[in-house]
Amino acid sequence: MVVTRIHDGLWRWAVPGADGEDRASVYLEHGRSMLLVDPVLPPAGEDRLRFERAIAHDVTRLGGPVYVMVTCARCPRDADSLIAMTGGVSWQPRDDAPPGIQVIAVGEDVALWSAEHGALMPGRAGIAPDGPLAALPAAVVIPSRGPMTLR
C-alpha cells in the first residue's frame, strides 16, 4: 500500500491491482466529517493493521459522521467493510451529497468535487478536455484507478 498526504485533511492511498494498475482511494476531512471515496482495503498484514489503527484514531479525533462513498454503484470495492469498521454511512451516486462535496454526473457514474480541498475525484470517468470536469480549478485529480495528477 502506498499512502500519500496531499495536504492537511486530504490523503490518497493505493493498493496495486492484479493487472498492476493502482486501485486508489481518497480520505477527506470536511469539518468534523470523514469521507472515504472508492475505498479499497490493503491486503491482510501490517499495512492493514496500520490502516485500521489510523482510521480508528481519526474517527475518534473528528467525532463526526463518516461517509463511505462510491463513484460507481457497480464497483463498491470494500465499502461494506469500511462501513462496518467505522460505523459510517453508505453513500451511493443517487444520494444527496455530504457537506462540502459537489456531485457531477459523468455518464452512468459520478465525479466528486471538493472546492475546500481543490480535489477532483472522477472515479473511473475520464476527463474530456471540453467537459465539465476540465473546467474545475482542481489542484489535484485523484482517479480511482491509476496515478493522481497535481495541477
Side-chain angles (χ1 to χ4, degrees), residues 21-61:
E21 188 173 45
D22 285 348
R23 305 294 189 265
S25 305
V26 180
Y27 167 104
L28 296 100
E29 294 177 9
H30 278 282
R32 293 181 47 238
S33 299
M34 175 191 298
L35 289 74
L36 304 172
V37 180
D38 293 331
V40 61
L41 286 171
E46 187 57 37
D47 280 347
R48 170 83 63 92
L49 293 173
R50 276 197 327 266
F51 177 85
E52 290 172 352
R53 284 191 302 265
I55 291 293
H57 174 266
D58 286 348
V59 167
T60 301
R61 177 179 59 83

PDB file of all heavy atoms in Angstrom, residues 21-61:
ATOM      1  N   GLU A  21      -2.184  -2.089 -12.146  1.00  0.00           N
ATOM      2  CA  GLU A  21      -2.645  -0.709 -12.047  1.00  0.00           C
ATOM      3  C   GLU A  21      -3.154  -0.448 -10.634  1.00  0.00           C
ATOM      4  O   GLU A  21      -3.846  -1.279 -10.050  1.00  0.00           O
ATOM      5  CB  GLU A  21      -3.763  -0.455 -13.068  1.00  0.00           C
ATOM      6  CG  GLU A  21      -4.168   0.992 -13.162  1.00  0.00           C
ATOM      7  CD  GLU A  21      -5.157   1.242 -14.286  1.00  0.00           C
ATOM      8  OE1 GLU A  21      -6.114   0.460 -14.424  1.00  0.00           O
ATOM      9  OE2 GLU A  21      -4.947   2.214 -15.019  1.00  0.00           O
ATOM     10  N   ASP A  22      -2.796   0.733 -10.092  1.00  0.00           N
ATOM     11  CA  ASP A  22      -3.225   1.082  -8.737  1.00  0.00           C
ATOM     12  C   ASP A  22      -4.736   1.166  -8.624  1.00  0.00           C
ATOM     13  O   ASP A  22      -5.412   1.661  -9.526  1.00  0.00           O
ATOM     14  CB  ASP A  22      -2.664   2.447  -8.333  1.00  0.00           C
ATOM     15  CG  ASP A  22      -1.192   2.401  -7.988  1.00  0.00           C
ATOM     16  OD1 ASP A  22      -0.649   1.291  -7.847  1.00  0.00           O
ATOM     17  OD2 ASP A  22      -0.591   3.482  -7.862  1.00  0.00           O
ATOM     18  N   ARG A  23      -5.253   0.686  -7.493  1.00  0.00           N
ATOM     19  CA  ARG A  23      -6.640   0.897  -7.077  1.00  0.00           C
ATOM     20  C   ARG A  23      -6.550   1.950  -5.989  1.00  0.00           C
ATOM     21  O   ARG A  23      -6.069   1.669  -4.892  1.00  0.00           O
ATOM     22  CB  ARG A  23      -7.292  -0.374  -6.537  1.00  0.00           C
ATOM     23  CG  ARG A  23      -7.245  -1.576  -7.464  1.00  0.00           C
ATOM     24  CD  ARG A  23      -8.094  -1.329  -8.717  1.00  0.00           C
ATOM     25  NE  ARG A  23      -8.232  -2.525  -9.514  1.00  0.00           N
ATOM     26  CZ  ARG A  23      -7.458  -2.836 -10.545  1.00  0.00           C
ATOM     27  NH1 ARG A  23      -6.455  -2.068 -10.870  1.00  0.00           N
ATOM     28  NH2 ARG A  23      -7.681  -3.918 -11.255  1.00  0.00           N
ATOM     29  N   ALA A  24      -6.957   3.174  -6.297  1.00  0.00           N
ATOM     30  CA  ALA A  24      -6.757   4.292  -5.382  1.00  0.00           C
ATOM     31  C   ALA A  24      -8.044   4.674  -4.673  1.00  0.00           C
ATOM     32  O   ALA A  24      -9.139   4.503  -5.193  1.00  0.00           O
ATOM     33  CB  ALA A  24      -6.211   5.494  -6.143  1.00  0.00           C
ATOM     34  N   SER A  25      -7.869   5.199  -3.467  1.00  0.00           N
ATOM     35  CA  SER A  25      -8.960   5.667  -2.637  1.00  0.00           C
ATOM     36  C   SER A  25      -8.569   7.017  -2.056  1.00  0.00           C
ATOM     37  O   SER A  25      -7.396   7.366  -2.012  1.00  0.00           O
ATOM     38  CB  SER A  25      -9.222   4.677  -1.502  1.00  0.00           C
ATOM     39  OG  SER A  25      -9.442   3.379  -1.994  1.00  0.00           O
ATOM     40  N   VAL A  26      -9.585   7.754  -1.590  1.00  0.00           N
ATOM     41  CA  VAL A  26      -9.346   9.097  -1.070  1.00  0.00           C
ATOM     42  C   VAL A  26      -9.926   9.221   0.332  1.00  0.00           C
ATOM     43  O   VAL A  26     -11.015   8.723   0.607  1.00  0.00           O
ATOM     44  CB  VAL A  26      -9.988  10.162  -1.985  1.00  0.00           C
ATOM     45  CG1 VAL A  26      -9.745  11.562  -1.442  1.00  0.00           C
ATOM     46  CG2 VAL A  26      -9.467  10.044  -3.410  1.00  0.00           C
ATOM     47  N   TYR A  27      -9.181   9.897   1.200  1.00  0.00           N
ATOM     48  CA  TYR A  27      -9.610  10.254   2.548  1.00  0.00           C
ATOM     49  C   TYR A  27      -9.674  11.776   2.595  1.00  0.00           C
ATOM     50  O   TYR A  27      -8.687  12.448   2.285  1.00  0.00           O
ATOM     51  CB  TYR A  27      -8.584   9.736   3.549  1.00  0.00           C
ATOM     52  CG  TYR A  27      -8.730  10.281   4.956  1.00  0.00           C
ATOM     53  CD1 TYR A  27      -9.275   9.494   5.963  1.00  0.00           C
ATOM     54  CD2 TYR A  27      -8.305  11.565   5.286  1.00  0.00           C
ATOM     55  CE1 TYR A  27      -9.393   9.976   7.265  1.00  0.00           C
ATOM     56  CE2 TYR A  27      -8.426  12.049   6.577  1.00  0.00           C
ATOM     57  CZ  TYR A  27      -8.973  11.262   7.557  1.00  0.00           C
ATOM     58  OH  TYR A  27      -9.093  11.731   8.836  1.00  0.00           O
ATOM     59  N   LEU A  28     -10.846  12.311   2.934  1.00  0.00           N
ATOM     60  CA  LEU A  28     -11.008  13.761   3.071  1.00  0.00           C
ATOM     61  C   LEU A  28     -11.636  14.076   4.410  1.00  0.00           C
ATOM     62  O   LEU A  28     -12.497  13.338   4.883  1.00  0.00           O
ATOM     63  CB  LEU A  28     -11.966  14.329   2.020  1.00  0.00           C
ATOM     64  CG  LEU A  28     -11.640  14.273   0.573  1.00  0.00           C
ATOM     65  CD1 LEU A  28     -12.372  13.127  -0.047  1.00  0.00           C
ATOM     66  CD2 LEU A  28     -12.081  15.561  -0.056  1.00  0.00           C
ATOM     67  N   GLU A  29     -11.248  15.205   4.974  1.00  0.00           N
ATOM     68  CA  GLU A  29     -11.925  15.737   6.149  1.00  0.00           C
ATOM     69  C   GLU A  29     -12.650  17.006   5.725  1.00  0.00           C
ATOM     70  O   GLU A  29     -12.069  17.860   5.050  1.00  0.00           O
ATOM     71  CB  GLU A  29     -10.918  16.069   7.254  1.00  0.00           C
ATOM     72  CG  GLU A  29     -10.224  14.865   7.819  1.00  0.00           C
ATOM     73  CD  GLU A  29      -9.174  15.220   8.859  1.00  0.00           C
ATOM     74  OE1 GLU A  29      -9.080  16.402   9.285  1.00  0.00           O
ATOM     75  OE2 GLU A  29      -8.431  14.303   9.252  1.00  0.00           O
ATOM     76  N   HIS A  30     -13.912  17.092   6.088  1.00  0.00           N
ATOM     77  CA  HIS A  30     -14.708  18.308   5.904  1.00  0.00           C
ATOM     78  C   HIS A  30     -15.298  18.639   7.257  1.00  0.00           C
ATOM     79  O   HIS A  30     -16.247  17.982   7.704  1.00  0.00           O
ATOM     80  CB  HIS A  30     -15.817  18.105   4.865  1.00  0.00           C
ATOM     81  CG  HIS A  30     -15.339  18.242   3.460  1.00  0.00           C
ATOM     82  ND1 HIS A  30     -15.109  19.452   2.879  1.00  0.00           N
ATOM     83  CD2 HIS A  30     -15.015  17.315   2.535  1.00  0.00           C
ATOM     84  CE1 HIS A  30     -14.678  19.274   1.642  1.00  0.00           C
ATOM     85  NE2 HIS A  30     -14.601  17.987   1.411  1.00  0.00           N
ATOM     86  N   GLY A  31     -14.685  19.600   7.961  1.00  0.00           N
ATOM     87  CA  GLY A  31     -15.116  19.894   9.324  1.00  0.00           C
ATOM     88  C   GLY A  31     -14.896  18.663  10.188  1.00  0.00           C
ATOM     89  O   GLY A  31     -13.815  18.088  10.217  1.00  0.00           O
ATOM     90  N   ARG A  32     -15.967  18.197  10.836  1.00  0.00           N
ATOM     91  CA  ARG A  32     -15.879  17.009  11.680  1.00  0.00           C
ATOM     92  C   ARG A  32     -16.163  15.734  10.895  1.00  0.00           C
ATOM     93  O   ARG A  32     -16.086  14.635  11.434  1.00  0.00           O
ATOM     94  CB  ARG A  32     -16.862  17.139  12.845  1.00  0.00           C
ATOM     95  CG  ARG A  32     -16.475  18.252  13.811  1.00  0.00           C
ATOM     96  CD  ARG A  32     -17.424  18.396  15.003  1.00  0.00           C
ATOM     97  NE  ARG A  32     -17.717  17.120  15.608  1.00  0.00           N
ATOM     98  CZ  ARG A  32     -18.950  16.619  15.752  1.00  0.00           C
ATOM     99  NH1 ARG A  32     -20.001  17.286  15.350  1.00  0.00           N
ATOM    100  NH2 ARG A  32     -19.138  15.447  16.340  1.00  0.00           N
ATOM    101  N   SER A  33     -16.531  15.851   9.630  1.00  0.00           N
ATOM    102  CA  SER A  33     -16.878  14.684   8.808  1.00  0.00           C
ATOM    103  C   SER A  33     -15.642  14.066   8.174  1.00  0.00           C
ATOM    104  O   SER A  33     -14.710  14.760   7.786  1.00  0.00           O
ATOM    105  CB  SER A  33     -17.844  15.070   7.691  1.00  0.00           C
ATOM    106  OG  SER A  33     -19.042  15.564   8.208  1.00  0.00           O
ATOM    107  N   MET A  34     -15.667  12.741   8.034  1.00  0.00           N
ATOM    108  CA  MET A  34     -14.658  11.998   7.298  1.00  0.00           C
ATOM    109  C   MET A  34     -15.342  11.411   6.075  1.00  0.00           C
ATOM    110  O   MET A  34     -16.430  10.854   6.171  1.00  0.00           O
ATOM    111  CB  MET A  34     -14.101  10.855   8.151  1.00  0.00           C
ATOM    112  CG  MET A  34     -13.112   9.957   7.410  1.00  0.00           C
ATOM    113  SD  MET A  34     -12.701   8.422   8.311  1.00  0.00           S
ATOM    114  CE  MET A  34     -11.955   9.047   9.798  1.00  0.00           C
ATOM    115  N   LEU A  35     -14.715  11.566   4.911  1.00  0.00           N
ATOM    116  CA  LEU A  35     -15.227  10.985   3.687  1.00  0.00           C
ATOM    117  C   LEU A  35     -14.180  10.026   3.135  1.00  0.00           C
ATOM    118  O   LEU A  35     -13.007  10.391   2.994  1.00  0.00           O
ATOM    119  CB  LEU A  35     -15.514  12.068   2.648  1.00  0.00           C
ATOM    120  CG  LEU A  35     -16.706  12.978   2.922  1.00  0.00           C
ATOM    121  CD1 LEU A  35     -16.420  13.969   4.020  1.00  0.00           C
ATOM    122  CD2 LEU A  35     -17.080  13.718   1.659  1.00  0.00           C
ATOM    123  N   LEU A  36     -14.606   8.810   2.858  1.00  0.00           N
ATOM    124  CA  LEU A  36     -13.745   7.793   2.262  1.00  0.00           C
ATOM    125  C   LEU A  36     -14.329   7.481   0.889  1.00  0.00           C
ATOM    126  O   LEU A  36     -15.452   7.003   0.787  1.00  0.00           O
ATOM    127  CB  LEU A  36     -13.712   6.545   3.140  1.00  0.00           C
ATOM    128  CG  LEU A  36     -13.274   6.780   4.585  1.00  0.00           C
ATOM    129  CD1 LEU A  36     -13.466   5.524   5.423  1.00  0.00           C
ATOM    130  CD2 LEU A  36     -11.837   7.251   4.638  1.00  0.00           C
ATOM    131  N   VAL A  37     -13.580   7.782  -0.163  1.00  0.00           N
ATOM    132  CA  VAL A  37     -14.079   7.684  -1.535  1.00  0.00           C
ATOM    133  C   VAL A  37     -13.468   6.475  -2.233  1.00  0.00           C
ATOM    134  O   VAL A  37     -12.255   6.310  -2.246  1.00  0.00           O
ATOM    135  CB  VAL A  37     -13.768   8.974  -2.323  1.00  0.00           C
ATOM    136  CG1 VAL A  37     -14.277   8.868  -3.753  1.00  0.00           C
ATOM    137  CG2 VAL A  37     -14.371  10.192  -1.624  1.00  0.00           C
ATOM    138  N   ASP A  38     -14.341   5.662  -2.815  1.00  0.00           N
ATOM    139  CA  ASP A  38     -13.936   4.456  -3.554  1.00  0.00           C
ATOM    140  C   ASP A  38     -12.931   3.625  -2.750  1.00  0.00           C
ATOM    141  O   ASP A  38     -11.853   3.276  -3.233  1.00  0.00           O
ATOM    142  CB  ASP A  38     -13.368   4.808  -4.930  1.00  0.00           C
ATOM    143  CG  ASP A  38     -14.419   5.379  -5.861  1.00  0.00           C
ATOM    144  OD1 ASP A  38     -15.606   5.025  -5.708  1.00  0.00           O
ATOM    145  OD2 ASP A  38     -14.074   6.183  -6.751  1.00  0.00           O
ATOM    146  N   PRO A  39     -13.296   3.278  -1.505  1.00  0.00           N
ATOM    147  CA  PRO A  39     -12.316   2.642  -0.626  1.00  0.00           C
ATOM    148  C   PRO A  39     -11.943   1.219  -1.021  1.00  0.00           C
ATOM    149  O   PRO A  39     -12.786   0.422  -1.398  1.00  0.00           O
ATOM    150  CB  PRO A  39     -13.013   2.649   0.736  1.00  0.00           C
ATOM    151  CG  PRO A  39     -14.465   2.599   0.407  1.00  0.00           C
ATOM    152  CD  PRO A  39     -14.603   3.417  -0.857  1.00  0.00           C
ATOM    153  N   VAL A  40     -10.663   0.959  -0.930  1.00  0.00           N
ATOM    154  CA  VAL A  40     -10.122  -0.387  -1.117  1.00  0.00           C
ATOM    155  C   VAL A  40      -9.202  -0.655   0.073  1.00  0.00           C
ATOM    156  O   VAL A  40      -8.421   0.206   0.471  1.00  0.00           O
ATOM    157  CB  VAL A  40      -9.381  -0.523  -2.461  1.00  0.00           C
ATOM    158  CG1 VAL A  40      -8.199   0.403  -2.576  1.00  0.00           C
ATOM    159  CG2 VAL A  40      -8.982  -1.947  -2.722  1.00  0.00           C
ATOM    160  N   LEU A  41      -9.369  -1.809   0.674  1.00  0.00           N
ATOM    161  CA  LEU A  41      -8.542  -2.170   1.823  1.00  0.00           C
ATOM    162  C   LEU A  41      -7.216  -2.759   1.371  1.00  0.00           C
ATOM    163  O   LEU A  41      -7.149  -3.475   0.366  1.00  0.00           O
ATOM    164  CB  LEU A  41      -9.257  -3.209   2.682  1.00  0.00           C
ATOM    165  CG  LEU A  41     -10.423  -2.690   3.513  1.00  0.00           C
ATOM    166  CD1 LEU A  41     -11.178  -3.848   4.140  1.00  0.00           C
ATOM    167  CD2 LEU A  41      -9.923  -1.734   4.583  1.00  0.00           C
ATOM    168  N   PRO A  42      -6.158  -2.472   2.134  1.00  0.00           N
ATOM    169  CA  PRO A  42      -4.898  -3.149   1.849  1.00  0.00           C
ATOM    170  C   PRO A  42      -5.026  -4.625   2.202  1.00  0.00           C
ATOM    171  O   PRO A  42      -5.896  -5.003   2.988  1.00  0.00           O
ATOM    172  CB  PRO A  42      -3.899  -2.439   2.761  1.00  0.00           C
ATOM    173  CG  PRO A  42      -4.697  -1.695   3.760  1.00  0.00           C
ATOM    174  CD  PRO A  42      -6.069  -1.512   3.220  1.00  0.00           C
ATOM    175  N   PRO A  43      -4.180  -5.468   1.630  1.00  0.00           N
ATOM    176  CA  PRO A  43      -4.221  -6.891   1.976  1.00  0.00           C
ATOM    177  C   PRO A  43      -3.943  -7.103   3.461  1.00  0.00           C
ATOM    178  O   PRO A  43      -3.343  -6.250   4.119  1.00  0.00           O
ATOM    179  CB  PRO A  43      -3.114  -7.504   1.124  1.00  0.00           C
ATOM    180  CG  PRO A  43      -2.609  -6.448   0.234  1.00  0.00           C
ATOM    181  CD  PRO A  43      -3.146  -5.132   0.681  1.00  0.00           C
ATOM    182  N   ALA A  44      -4.377  -8.234   3.980  1.00  0.00           N
ATOM    183  CA  ALA A  44      -4.128  -8.581   5.385  1.00  0.00           C
ATOM    184  C   ALA A  44      -2.636  -8.512   5.659  1.00  0.00           C
ATOM    185  O   ALA A  44      -1.816  -8.864   4.813  1.00  0.00           O
ATOM    186  CB  ALA A  44      -4.671  -9.975   5.687  1.00  0.00           C
ATOM    187  N   GLY A  45      -2.294  -8.029   6.839  1.00  0.00           N
ATOM    188  CA  GLY A  45      -0.891  -7.907   7.224  1.00  0.00           C
ATOM    189  C   GLY A  45      -0.647  -6.577   7.908  1.00  0.00           C
ATOM    190  O   GLY A  45      -1.578  -5.914   8.377  1.00  0.00           O
ATOM    191  N   GLU A  46       0.618  -6.173   7.962  1.00  0.00           N
ATOM    192  CA  GLU A  46       0.997  -4.953   8.679  1.00  0.00           C
ATOM    193  C   GLU A  46       0.350  -3.705   8.091  1.00  0.00           C
ATOM    194  O   GLU A  46      -0.083  -2.824   8.832  1.00  0.00           O
ATOM    195  CB  GLU A  46       2.523  -4.813   8.704  1.00  0.00           C
ATOM    196  CG  GLU A  46       3.019  -3.679   9.572  1.00  0.00           C
ATOM    197  CD  GLU A  46       2.563  -3.755  11.032  1.00  0.00           C
ATOM    198  OE1 GLU A  46       2.479  -4.863  11.600  1.00  0.00           O
ATOM    199  OE2 GLU A  46       2.283  -2.690  11.610  1.00  0.00           O
ATOM    200  N   ASP A  47       0.286  -3.592   6.757  1.00  0.00           N
ATOM    201  CA  ASP A  47      -0.366  -2.423   6.149  1.00  0.00           C
ATOM    202  C   ASP A  47      -1.821  -2.316   6.597  1.00  0.00           C
ATOM    203  O   ASP A  47      -2.304  -1.231   6.914  1.00  0.00           O
ATOM    204  CB  ASP A  47      -0.316  -2.486   4.619  1.00  0.00           C
ATOM    205  CG  ASP A  47       1.023  -2.041   4.053  1.00  0.00           C
ATOM    206  OD1 ASP A  47       1.834  -1.464   4.804  1.00  0.00           O
ATOM    207  OD2 ASP A  47       1.240  -2.265   2.847  1.00  0.00           O
ATOM    208  N   ARG A  48      -2.528  -3.425   6.611  1.00  0.00           N
ATOM    209  CA  ARG A  48      -3.938  -3.415   7.022  1.00  0.00           C
ATOM    210  C   ARG A  48      -4.070  -2.983   8.477  1.00  0.00           C
ATOM    211  O   ARG A  48      -4.931  -2.187   8.811  1.00  0.00           O
ATOM    212  CB  ARG A  48      -4.564  -4.791   6.799  1.00  0.00           C
ATOM    213  CG  ARG A  48      -5.951  -4.988   7.404  1.00  0.00           C
ATOM    214  CD  ARG A  48      -7.099  -4.460   6.564  1.00  0.00           C
ATOM    215  NE  ARG A  48      -7.257  -5.097   5.309  1.00  0.00           N
ATOM    216  CZ  ARG A  48      -8.028  -6.148   5.052  1.00  0.00           C
ATOM    217  NH1 ARG A  48      -8.751  -6.695   6.003  1.00  0.00           N
ATOM    218  NH2 ARG A  48      -8.098  -6.646   3.849  1.00  0.00           N
ATOM    219  N   LEU A  49      -3.213  -3.509   9.343  1.00  0.00           N
ATOM    220  CA  LEU A  49      -3.270  -3.137  10.760  1.00  0.00           C
ATOM    221  C   LEU A  49      -3.005  -1.649  10.964  1.00  0.00           C
ATOM    222  O   LEU A  49      -3.716  -0.981  11.724  1.00  0.00           O
ATOM    223  CB  LEU A  49      -2.283  -3.978  11.575  1.00  0.00           C
ATOM    224  CG  LEU A  49      -2.602  -5.469  11.665  1.00  0.00           C
ATOM    225  CD1 LEU A  49      -1.459  -6.210  12.343  1.00  0.00           C
ATOM    226  CD2 LEU A  49      -3.919  -5.697  12.384  1.00  0.00           C
ATOM    227  N   ARG A  50      -1.982  -1.103  10.286  1.00  0.00           N
ATOM    228  CA  ARG A  50      -1.690   0.336  10.384  1.00  0.00           C
ATOM    229  C   ARG A  50      -2.869   1.153   9.861  1.00  0.00           C
ATOM    230  O   ARG A  50      -3.239   2.167  10.454  1.00  0.00           O
ATOM    231  CB  ARG A  50      -0.426   0.677   9.597  1.00  0.00           C
ATOM    232  CG  ARG A  50       0.843   0.433  10.367  1.00  0.00           C
ATOM    233  CD  ARG A  50       2.063   1.140   9.771  1.00  0.00           C
ATOM    234  NE  ARG A  50       2.064   1.275   8.336  1.00  0.00           N
ATOM    235  CZ  ARG A  50       2.636   0.421   7.482  1.00  0.00           C
ATOM    236  NH1 ARG A  50       3.260  -0.653   7.932  1.00  0.00           N
ATOM    237  NH2 ARG A  50       2.616   0.639   6.192  1.00  0.00           N
ATOM    238  N   PHE A  51      -3.455   0.723   8.742  1.00  0.00           N
ATOM    239  CA  PHE A  51      -4.600   1.417   8.153  1.00  0.00           C
ATOM    240  C   PHE A  51      -5.768   1.444   9.140  1.00  0.00           C
ATOM    241  O   PHE A  51      -6.362   2.492   9.389  1.00  0.00           O
ATOM    242  CB  PHE A  51      -5.012   0.706   6.853  1.00  0.00           C
ATOM    243  CG  PHE A  51      -6.221   1.292   6.213  1.00  0.00           C
ATOM    244  CD1 PHE A  51      -6.115   2.383   5.370  1.00  0.00           C
ATOM    245  CD2 PHE A  51      -7.478   0.760   6.437  1.00  0.00           C
ATOM    246  CE1 PHE A  51      -7.236   2.936   4.777  1.00  0.00           C
ATOM    247  CE2 PHE A  51      -8.608   1.298   5.850  1.00  0.00           C
ATOM    248  CZ  PHE A  51      -8.481   2.388   5.016  1.00  0.00           C
ATOM    249  N   GLU A  52      -6.097   0.293   9.724  1.00  0.00           N
ATOM    250  CA  GLU A  52      -7.221   0.208  10.658  1.00  0.00           C
ATOM    251  C   GLU A  52      -6.995   1.091  11.882  1.00  0.00           C
ATOM    252  O   GLU A  52      -7.915   1.762  12.347  1.00  0.00           O
ATOM    253  CB  GLU A  52      -7.458  -1.245  11.070  1.00  0.00           C
ATOM    254  CG  GLU A  52      -8.014  -2.094   9.946  1.00  0.00           C
ATOM    255  CD  GLU A  52      -8.078  -3.579  10.263  1.00  0.00           C
ATOM    256  OE1 GLU A  52      -7.551  -4.010  11.330  1.00  0.00           O
ATOM    257  OE2 GLU A  52      -8.650  -4.322   9.441  1.00  0.00           O
ATOM    258  N   ARG A  53      -5.757   1.118  12.405  1.00  0.00           N
ATOM    259  CA  ARG A  53      -5.450   1.970  13.561  1.00  0.00           C
ATOM    260  C   ARG A  53      -5.592   3.446  13.207  1.00  0.00           C
ATOM    261  O   ARG A  53      -6.139   4.231  13.990  1.00  0.00           O
ATOM    262  CB  ARG A  53      -4.048   1.682  14.088  1.00  0.00           C
ATOM    263  CG  ARG A  53      -3.937   0.399  14.897  1.00  0.00           C
ATOM    264  CD  ARG A  53      -2.593   0.294  15.627  1.00  0.00           C
ATOM    265  NE  ARG A  53      -1.442   0.349  14.736  1.00  0.00           N
ATOM    266  CZ  ARG A  53      -0.810  -0.711  14.246  1.00  0.00           C
ATOM    267  NH1 ARG A  53      -1.206  -1.935  14.563  1.00  0.00           N
ATOM    268  NH2 ARG A  53       0.231  -0.578  13.452  1.00  0.00           N
ATOM    269  N   ALA A  54      -5.100   3.838  12.037  1.00  0.00           N
ATOM    270  CA  ALA A  54      -5.171   5.245  11.626  1.00  0.00           C
ATOM    271  C   ALA A  54      -6.618   5.692  11.430  1.00  0.00           C
ATOM    272  O   ALA A  54      -7.007   6.779  11.882  1.00  0.00           O
ATOM    273  CB  ALA A  54      -4.372   5.455  10.335  1.00  0.00           C
ATOM    274  N   ILE A  55      -7.411   4.852  10.788  1.00  0.00           N
ATOM    275  CA  ILE A  55      -8.827   5.200  10.576  1.00  0.00           C
ATOM    276  C   ILE A  55      -9.556   5.292  11.916  1.00  0.00           C
ATOM    277  O   ILE A  55     -10.307   6.245  12.170  1.00  0.00           O
ATOM    278  CB  ILE A  55      -9.507   4.183   9.635  1.00  0.00           C
ATOM    279  CG1 ILE A  55      -8.952   4.319   8.215  1.00  0.00           C
ATOM    280  CG2 ILE A  55     -11.025   4.341   9.646  1.00  0.00           C
ATOM    281  CD1 ILE A  55      -9.287   5.605   7.494  1.00  0.00           C
ATOM    282  N   ALA A  56      -9.341   4.335  12.809  1.00  0.00           N
ATOM    283  CA  ALA A  56      -9.992   4.361  14.127  1.00  0.00           C
ATOM    284  C   ALA A  56      -9.601   5.622  14.895  1.00  0.00           C
ATOM    285  O   ALA A  56     -10.447   6.266  15.536  1.00  0.00           O
ATOM    286  CB  ALA A  56      -9.636   3.109  14.920  1.00  0.00           C
ATOM    287  N   HIS A  57      -8.332   5.991  14.835  1.00  0.00           N
ATOM    288  CA  HIS A  57      -7.865   7.213  15.509  1.00  0.00           C
ATOM    289  C   HIS A  57      -8.597   8.436  14.961  1.00  0.00           C
ATOM    290  O   HIS A  57      -9.055   9.301  15.718  1.00  0.00           O
ATOM    291  CB  HIS A  57      -6.348   7.351  15.333  1.00  0.00           C
ATOM    292  CG  HIS A  57      -5.816   8.641  15.856  1.00  0.00           C
ATOM    293  ND1 HIS A  57      -5.640   9.742  15.059  1.00  0.00           N
ATOM    294  CD2 HIS A  57      -5.444   9.008  17.108  1.00  0.00           C
ATOM    295  CE1 HIS A  57      -5.178  10.738  15.788  1.00  0.00           C
ATOM    296  NE2 HIS A  57      -5.044  10.319  17.036  1.00  0.00           N
ATOM    297  N   ASP A  58      -8.703   8.543  13.627  1.00  0.00           N
ATOM    298  CA  ASP A  58      -9.338   9.714  13.027  1.00  0.00           C
ATOM    299  C   ASP A  58     -10.845   9.745  13.255  1.00  0.00           C
ATOM    300  O   ASP A  58     -11.426  10.820  13.398  1.00  0.00           O
ATOM    301  CB  ASP A  58      -9.011   9.798  11.537  1.00  0.00           C
ATOM    302  CG  ASP A  58      -7.575  10.250  11.306  1.00  0.00           C
ATOM    303  OD1 ASP A  58      -6.921  10.714  12.263  1.00  0.00           O
ATOM    304  OD2 ASP A  58      -7.106  10.132  10.165  1.00  0.00           O
ATOM    305  N   VAL A  59     -11.491   8.600  13.301  1.00  0.00           N
ATOM    306  CA  VAL A  59     -12.923   8.565  13.622  1.00  0.00           C
ATOM    307  C   VAL A  59     -13.139   9.175  15.003  1.00  0.00           C
ATOM    308  O   VAL A  59     -14.019  10.020  15.206  1.00  0.00           O
ATOM    309  CB  VAL A  59     -13.484   7.128  13.553  1.00  0.00           C
ATOM    310  CG1 VAL A  59     -14.862   7.041  14.188  1.00  0.00           C
ATOM    311  CG2 VAL A  59     -13.544   6.647  12.104  1.00  0.00           C
ATOM    312  N   THR A  60     -12.310   8.785  15.967  1.00  0.00           N
ATOM    313  CA  THR A  60     -12.412   9.321  17.335  1.00  0.00           C
ATOM    314  C   THR A  60     -12.047  10.801  17.367  1.00  0.00           C
ATOM    315  O   THR A  60     -12.744  11.614  17.984  1.00  0.00           O
ATOM    316  CB  THR A  60     -11.502   8.524  18.283  1.00  0.00           C
ATOM    317  OG1 THR A  60     -11.915   7.154  18.253  1.00  0.00           O
ATOM    318  CG2 THR A  60     -11.573   9.055  19.689  1.00  0.00           C
ATOM    319  N   ARG A  61     -10.974  11.160  16.707  1.00  0.00           N
ATOM    320  CA  ARG A  61     -10.498  12.554  16.716  1.00  0.00           C
ATOM    321  C   ARG A  61     -11.531  13.506  16.129  1.00  0.00           C
ATOM    322  O   ARG A  61     -11.806  14.569  16.683  1.00  0.00           O
ATOM    323  CB  ARG A  61      -9.181  12.664  15.932  1.00  0.00           C
ATOM    324  CG  ARG A  61      -8.620  14.076  15.817  1.00  0.00           C
ATOM    325  CD  ARG A  61      -7.303  14.088  15.054  1.00  0.00           C
ATOM    326  NE  ARG A  61      -7.380  13.568  13.714  1.00  0.00           N
ATOM    327  CZ  ARG A  61      -7.776  14.268  12.647  1.00  0.00           C
ATOM    328  NH1 ARG A  61      -8.146  15.528  12.762  1.00  0.00           N
ATOM    329  NH2 ARG A  61      -7.799  13.708  11.450  1.00  0.00           N
TER     330      ARG A  61
END
